[in-house]
Each structure stands twice: as C-alpha cells, then as structure tokens.
Amino acid sequence: MPLDAICLGAVTNELNTVLTGCRIEKVYQPDRDEIVIQTRGQGGARRLLVSIAAGTPRVHFIETARENPAVPPMFCMLLRKHVQGAKIAAVTQPAVERMLSIELDTTDEMGVACKKHLICELMGKHSNVVLCGEDNRIIDAMRRVDGDLSGKRQVLPGLFYHEPPRQDRSIPQETTEAGLLALLARPDAAMRLDKWLLAHFAGLSPLIARELSFRFAGETDAPIPTLDAARLAAFLTAEFAALPPVQMQPMLLWKDGAPTDFTYRDIRQYGGYLRAEPCESFSALLDRFYTETDHAERMRQRSQ
C-alpha cells in the first residue's frame, strides 16, 4: 500500500525523536530512486532510507546496507558536499501532507553557519527529494522538473521552492462535530461512508476509511443515508481526535504467509481472514514490509 499522510506523520514523529541531534556521516545513492543517509548520535549509527520509487515512496530506517555503485551519481556527490557533517535539527511534516523535511544545521562555502532543508516529497510518480538553502532557494533535486514536464511547478536549481499544490480536503484533526454534521447534510453525502471519507478528508488511506465504516456500522461499505448522522458525527470526532501522534501502533497485516498491508492502528474489519502483527517501531514495520514484498516479487519473477 502507499504510505498515507497520517501514517507518514507517525513515521515523522519517530524519526524526529531518534534523529534530532545526530550528525550525517555519509550519503549513498544505491539506486536511481534511492538515497541512504548514514547518521550517528547518542544512540549509535543508523541508516535512513529515502525512496522516491513511484510505487513505493517512503522514508524509514533500514538494518541491511545497500550495495552502492562504484561511481556515485551526481546528486549523491552534491548531497555529500552540502550535508555531510551536518547536524539534524528537526524532522517535520507539513499538516497531513505526504512529505517531510529534514532541517540541517551546517555551514556554507565560506564556513558560515547556516540552515539547509532536505525535503522528501512522497507522492507516487511525482515523488522527489529536494535540497534547499537557508533562503528557500533550490540547490538541486533528485528529479529536476522543468517547464516541459510541468507548466505549474518547476523544481530547478536557483528557483524558490514551493510546496506541491494541496488538495481541497479537510484536515481530520481540525474538523469539529458541527462541521461534520454540516458535511453529512449536503446532497453529495448520499454515498458509501468510506468513499465519502476519502473524498472529504486528507491523509486517510482506503484501509482506514473502510475500518471507520466497519467500526461504526459493522460493514466496510455502509451507505451514509442509512446511518444516524448525529451519532456518526460524534463517532468520527472521537476517532479523528485519536489519530497519530495521539495513538500509534505499528501494525503489519499478513495473508497466506506474506505481508499484504500496514497501518498505525489495530484493524478489525478482516476478522480472522488476515493476521495482524504489532511491530516495535514504524521503521521496523516498513523495513520488514518492503523487504518481504521485494523478496516475494523476486521469487515470482524467477518462477516465470
């Protein structure tokens, strides 16, 4: 599954706790769409993977070292020049967006202290890693975007960085019970609850939308016109208030001996059809999920 914005928020909180105060020792680029940042702090050395692969964009710690090319790519060399030796000041996420920013305390070419930002945009085929200076100008990006690729937003060295356009959806944690009642009273609410949640609220994954429908109505595809609007608004208000970072439980879902999904809470909609396994951290969850799925895909390709 894609890493949804709320799950990424839980990952960001975890990374911020571990990485703040650490220094970047080395940067590698084992693949065109991946960088690995090796850090060291009071807790020892860690490897942080940033992947912008279209189907699996993500950020998390990894245990196993990646094989690196003999000659580092140009973007890797640029990162080594600008961020190697930098101290990580914070890891933050814009409100319910599929992106995070690593704030760095470092020095410029003259040795003067300055801040830089390594911005990870995890948005499917539009994913990117962008390095910005203290003035918010782009130093470079893993994927440069010129006017031929996008007429609305260019990502090129020297330009000021602008966040990707935000979708016109509400932030769940900022939604009031009265606001929910008003939305439920609109004519376009005559649809399935899970589809309505995805259409109106940022950051929710299809899995979580179905789970909310199941917990309230006992079915994952409950139609809103059959539900009590006042009770539903009160239920959703409580559920939205408990979203990460308030409650976070990394959960890996298994089917027929293989991981099939992951999330940040316990899941009830499948009954005994899927097995849910809690993990010690979100990085451990994501590292295991993608390691297992990559292995399964390689085995499938070999058998063809």
Side-chain angles (χ1 to χ4, degrees):
M1 65 166 281
L3 184 60
D4 65 79
I6 292 179
C7 194
L8 179 59
V11 175
T12 301
N13 283 318
E14 183 178 283
L15 296 181
N16 186 56
T17 300
V18 176
L19 289 177
T20 297
C22 293
R23 290 200 178 272
I24 295 178
E25 287 193 326
K26 198 74 172 177
V27 180
Y28 304 95
Q29 190 172 348
D31 188 80
R32 181 186 65 177
D33 295 330
E34 291 183 352
I35 59 172
V36 175
I37 301 171
Q38 184 170 309
T39 69
R40 183 171 296 276
Q42 291 185 346
R46 306 295 294 265
R47 299 184 187 95
L48 181 70
L49 171 72
V50 181
S51 172
I52 61 169
T56 58
R58 63 199 192 272
V59 179
H60 58 87
F61 293 122
I62 56 174
E63 294 296 330
T64 306
R66 295 288 206 270
E67 185 175 347
N68 295 295
V71 179
M74 291 296 295
F75 186 68
C76 179
M77 294 174 65
L78 177 132
L79 287 181
R80 288 179 179 179
K81 173 184 176 182
H82 285 275
V83 309
Q84 208 157 277
K87 184 177 181 180
I88 298 175
V91 183
T92 58
Q93 177 196 28
V96 197
E97 293 290 332
R98 286 183 296 165
M99 56 187 295
L100 62 81
S101 176
I102 303 174
E103 181 182 330
L104 304 167
D105 288 331
T106 184
T107 56
D108 61 17
E109 291 81 358
M110 304 299 292
V112 178
C114 67
K115 287 189 177 292
K116 293 177 182 176
H117 298 268
L118 191 63
I119 301 167
C120 308
E121 302 176 352
L122 309 175
M123 302 174 178
K125 65 180 181 180
H126 302 294
S127 298
N128 208 346
V129 178
V130 186
L131 179 65
C132 294
E134 194 165 28
D135 60 357
N136 207 38
R137 286 187 185 272
I138 297 170
I139 298 172
D140 211 341
M142 186 177 285
R143 292 177 179 168
R144 294 183 177 182
V145 181
D146 59 19
D148 292 334
L149 293 175
S150 174
K152 296 182 178 179
R153 179 177 180 258
Q154 284 78 54
V155 182
L156 295 170
L159 298 181
F160 284 106
Y161 175 80
H162 299 284
E163 290 185 6
R166 298 194 177 191
Q167 296 181 325
D168 186 21
R169 290 184 291 175
S170 301
I171 296 174
Q173 296 94 324
E174 297 178 359
T175 306
T176 64
E177 188 170 341
L180 284 163
L181 280 171
L183 286 173
L184 289 167
R186 288 166 45 172
D188 61 0
M191 59 193 303
R192 283 170 40 177
L193 176 56
D194 63 319
K195 300 295 185 185
W196 180 83
L197 288 167
L198 292 174
H200 287 86
F201 299 98
L204 299 179
S205 67
L207 173 67
I208 293 300
R210 293 194 304 270
E211 182 68 15
L212 292 174
S213 176
F214 179 79
R215 292 195 177 210
F216 182 77
E219 52 186 323
T220 58
D221 56 354
I224 289 177
T226 66
L227 307 176
D228 183 296
R231 288 184 55 246
L232 177 57
F235 167 81
L236 291 175
T237 300
E239 289 289 334
F240 289 169
L243 288 173
V246 177
Q247 293 183 13
M248 298 188 294
Q249 175 57 69
M251 299 294 292
L252 187 59
L253 304 181
W254 294 78
K255 177 184 176 184
D256 299 330
T260 184
D261 215 335
F262 59 83
T263 187
Y264 48 81
R265 65 176 301 169
D266 61 312
I267 298 295
R268 302 174 187 172
Q269 61 187 276
Y270 296 112
Y273 182 64
L274 295 183
R275 178 173 65 87
E277 177 186 352
C279 295
E280 63 182 20
S281 69
F282 283 97
S283 279
L285 166 73
L286 295 172
D287 192 21
R288 187 173 181 189
F289 178 83
Y290 287 107
T291 299
E292 294 276 358
T293 53
D294 288 348
H295 175 72
E297 178 61 21
R298 288 194 298 270
M299 295 298 291
R300 186 189 67 80
Q301 292 177 354
R302 289 176 183 175
S303 65
Q304 290 181 345

